[in-house]
Amino acid sequence: MSFDWLGVNWPVVWAWFVLVVDNLIRIVALFVVPRNRRPTAGMAWLIAIFALPVPGLLLFLIIGSKRLPRSRERKQDAINHFVAQIADQEEADLITPPERLLPGLDSVVKLGRQLGAQPMLQGNTASICIDYEESFARIAEAIRGAREYVHVEFYILVHDAATDDVFAAMREAVARGVTVRVLLDHISAVRNPGSKRTAQSLTEIGAEWSYMLPVRPWRGEYQRPDLRNHRKIVVVDGEVGFMGSQNLVDSSYNKRSNRRRGLHWKDLMVRVEGPIVLGLEAVFQGDWYLETGEYLTNLTEEAFTVAQPGDLDCQIVPSGPGYAGENNLQVFVALMYSAQRRISITSPYFVPDGSIMNAVRAATARGVEVELFVSEVGDQAMVYHAQRSYYEELLRAGVRIMMFRPPYILHSKHFTVDEEVAVVGSSNMDQRSFGLNMEISMVVHGAEFVRDLDEVTDYYRENSRELTLEEWEQQSLPAQLLDGLARLTSALQ
């Protein structure tokens, strides 16, 4: 067959065309990819694009930008301004005075405020629950006591046998005239079994509900598909709140692969009362506005005349693409640098960036005891292997690594600094939680709460085994290679 048509040698033309496009993609990538991006992430993207220009470019176009759509960014700016106004309304006796805080903590609180966090409020109580089913029972009990409204927001929210009592409580609340509003992440709903039943149940009980960050291009709803709302919040009448790491779903997540391996999730939820509940309410109200366009009116001036039932000082730190400077990361790092005696970290997905690693190394170098609790087995292969790639560096720095024994996935997310400061919430210690997910964290100042959290970590320790450097050095070459490749791909943000 002759390719000489109209005197043109088409194979040569196509070869030149492919060569030009191939090199043009690489050249343009050198200018576009590194801009406003971490060096590690920029290098990872450049390697991907240089190795496979067309597939790499397509992947970059899909998940290469952390920016939300402009319409959503405008809404986020508006709600951030609104929350700032709310903070200005708060009564002076609700805000923790600087002299009440530990040396160094006041500067961390100020840092958080500059980056979009709420004020630190005094007069709160907080109780910890690590029993999976008991957490659902406590939430259902609070909902059954609602008089005006119930606000529920979860990354994964499924109506199944384990959560049926919570759904029943919401149904009873609606029946007696209480307004129930529910937010659940769209992508997680699609990916997890039971999405149709859940949607039908929410509609049938009369709840007002909406998906968060929906990816439905046919409806004009689209953003980077792996930008997710990862928060877990319940607010009842602005008086009782819940937050933490646990999703509203069976502890096996109803997945066949988990059940086949016998996996169940271990989580931590915190029940709070006092002024800090208004902080949770403000975050829910902002997310509700982002998804529905409706401003709620639960944060009026009268809402700030709240009781102060306890002695804890708490600060809510919402984070995500709508907040500048990865504010949760900066607050976490600042707290680690303030440590004098110990740091205890629990994170199911520990894939730190350079600032976290530097803070950990600086801590151990000045004599601070650092321990890390992770799961011995993983549920997400790439994240699990990326996490493992940091173990040798951590062990050589003097960090104790405690691996929670299977068949459990330790999904709790919290850390303590010395004896009076702790952070709990939905945020992992990984680049996704710092840069991509919408998260919520709570900084707690109070020795009693830290003691309660220490009891939790004692339980973890009893059910974990310690990883040693000698054991880790016996890792096979294929395992090291897989860990290294996973570490490289974790930077593709």
Side-chain angles (χ1 to χ4, degrees):
M1 178 182 293
S2 174
F3 293 95
D4 190 3
W5 180 57
L6 297 179
V8 178
N9 190 329
W10 290 105
V12 174
V13 171
W14 278 110
W16 275 104
F17 176 77
V18 171
L19 182 63
V20 170
V21 170
D22 188 85
N23 283 281
L24 185 61
I25 291 174
R26 290 186 172 98
I27 293 170
V28 172
L30 288 172
F31 289 91
V32 175
V33 170
R35 186 177 182 184
N36 298 322
R37 196 179 301 274
R38 287 196 194 98
T40 53
M43 185 61 68
W45 274 115
L46 287 175
I47 290 173
I49 293 172
F50 271 59
L52 298 168
V54 175
L57 173 64
L58 293 176
L59 184 64
F60 181 78
L61 292 175
I62 295 172
I63 65 170
S65 173
K66 294 189 291 185
R67 292 195 61 179
L68 295 165
R70 290 183 180 179
S71 59
R72 187 174 284 270
E73 284 187 338
R74 287 194 293 268
K75 282 186 174 181
Q76 183 69 62
D77 290 341
I79 205 64
N80 289 351
H81 178 68
F82 175 72
V83 171
Q85 288 181 319
I86 291 174
D88 292 338
Q89 295 174 19
E90 289 171 342
E91 299 294 334
D93 61 347
L94 298 183
I95 298 177
T96 303
E99 59 271 15
R100 176 182 166 91
L101 301 176
L102 291 173
L105 181 56
D106 180 44
S107 62
V108 177
V109 171
K110 289 179 180 178
L111 170 66
R113 289 288 292 126
Q114 289 296 317
L115 297 173
Q118 298 166 18
M120 179 159 274
L121 305 178
Q122 60 184 340
N124 305 286
T125 64
S127 59
I128 297 170
C129 183
I130 60 171
D131 184 288
Y132 204 93
E133 287 71 26
E134 178 64 22
S135 290
F136 292 153
R138 292 186 181 186
I139 291 172
E141 180 184 18
I143 292 174
R144 288 192 168 96
R147 302 182 307 275
E148 298 179 16
Y149 67 88
V150 174
H151 290 160
V152 177
E153 175 177 342
F154 282 89
Y155 173 60
I156 299 175
L157 185 148
V158 178
H159 188 185
D160 56 29
T163 64
D164 186 64
D165 192 38
V166 177
F167 276 78
M170 289 192 291
R171 181 182 295 107
E172 295 164 14
V174 173
R176 64 177 183 271
V178 173
T179 300
V180 175
R181 299 182 179 93
V182 179
L183 291 170
L184 63 159
D185 187 79
H186 180 232
I187 292 295
S188 73
V190 172
R191 292 173 54 192
N192 285 277
S195 60
K196 288 185 178 180
R197 180 191 179 190
T198 302
Q200 291 172 355
S201 295
L202 290 172
T203 300
E204 288 171 1
I205 68 178
E208 301 175 25
W209 68 278
S210 176
Y211 287 120
M212 297 183 288
L213 293 168
V215 181
R216 297 180 287 200
W218 58 93
R219 296 189 183 183
E221 300 170 340
Y222 185 80
Q223 66 279 319
R224 175 175 170 172
D226 61 340
L227 295 180
R228 308 309 329 143
N229 194 317
H230 196 241
R231 295 168 181 151
K232 294 93 177 171
I233 303 171
V234 178
V235 178
V236 177
D237 293 337
E239 298 173 357
V240 177
F242 295 84
M243 61 90 66
S245 67
Q246 185 170 327
N247 287 295
L248 198 71
V249 64
D250 183 85
S251 62
S252 69
Y253 281 46
N254 301 310
K255 293 185 177 180
R256 291 181 181 178
S257 59
N258 294 338
R259 288 176 173 171
R260 185 170 58 251
R261 299 172 62 190
L263 294 182
H264 290 273
W265 268 237
K266 285 285 187 181
D267 276 284
L268 180 145
M269 290 294 280
V270 181
R271 183 187 190 275
V272 294
E273 292 186 60
I276 200 59
V277 179
L278 300 177
L280 298 178
E281 175 64 32
V283 175
F284 178 91
Q285 180 161 328
D287 289 342
W288 184 262
Y289 172 69
L290 283 173
E291 303 304 344
T292 69
E294 178 188 7
Y295 269 121
L296 302 181
T297 58
N298 304 107
L299 292 174
T300 60
E301 185 174 344
E302 291 76 16
F304 293 95
T305 58
V306 297
Q308 299 183 40
D311 297 322
L312 296 179
D313 305 297
C314 302
Q315 180 184 34
I316 295 297
V317 184
S319 57
Y323 294 86
E326 298 180 337
N327 54 342
N328 54 345
L329 170 62
Q330 293 198 52
V331 169
F332 293 178
V333 169
L335 284 172
M336 289 180 185
Y337 277 111
S338 73
Q340 300 297 312
R341 288 170 295 280
R342 66 179 180 118
I343 300 172
S344 179
I345 302 170
T346 300
S347 179
Y349 312 118
F350 187 82
V351 187
D353 75 338
S355 61
I356 290 284
M357 289 300 295
N358 288 337
V360 168
R361 282 193 294 263
T364 56
R366 64 179 184 270
V368 175
E369 296 179 359
V370 181
E371 61 180 353
L372 170 65
F373 290 91
V374 295
S375 295
E376 186 170 355
V377 297
D379 65 304
Q380 298 183 29
M382 294 304 293
V383 179
Y384 173 69
H385 285 286
Q387 172 175 285
R388 284 164 49 93
S389 73
Y390 290 89
Y391 286 172
E392 180 176 353
E393 187 176 358
L394 290 166
L395 290 168
R396 292 190 182 279
V399 177
R400 296 185 65 189
I401 300 178
M402 310 299 295
M403 302 192 300
F404 200 79
R405 293 188 177 94
Y408 297 103
I409 298 295
L410 184 58
H411 193 247
S412 303
K413 310 155 198 299
H414 53 84
F415 72 97
T416 56
V417 175
D418 297 334
E419 288 74 37
E420 293 189 43
V421 180
V423 178
V424 295
S426 66
S427 182
N428 296 301
M429 290 276 187
D430 70 351
Q431 296 178 44
R432 173 165 298 281
S433 285
F434 295 142
L436 301 181
N437 289 342
M438 294 184 177
E439 307 281 6
I440 184 167
S441 303
M442 181 171 68
V443 180
V444 183
H445 173 227
E448 180 182 355
F449 184 82
V450 173
R451 284 195 296 270
D452 291 343
L453 204 53
D454 284 343
E455 291 183 8
V456 172
T457 54
D458 287 342
Y459 164 76
Y460 295 161
R461 196 174 292 107
E462 292 170 1
N463 292 275
S464 301
R465 71 177 186 87
E466 184 170 1
L467 178 66
T468 65
L469 182 60
E470 291 74 21
E471 176 187 347
W472 187 249
E473 288 177 337
Q474 302 304 313
Q475 293 297 306
S476 65
L477 186 60
Q480 295 177 40
L481 177 62
L482 184 57
D483 293 346
L485 290 174
R487 179 170 179 166
L488 179 63
T489 59
S490 71
L492 295 179
Q493 295 187 11

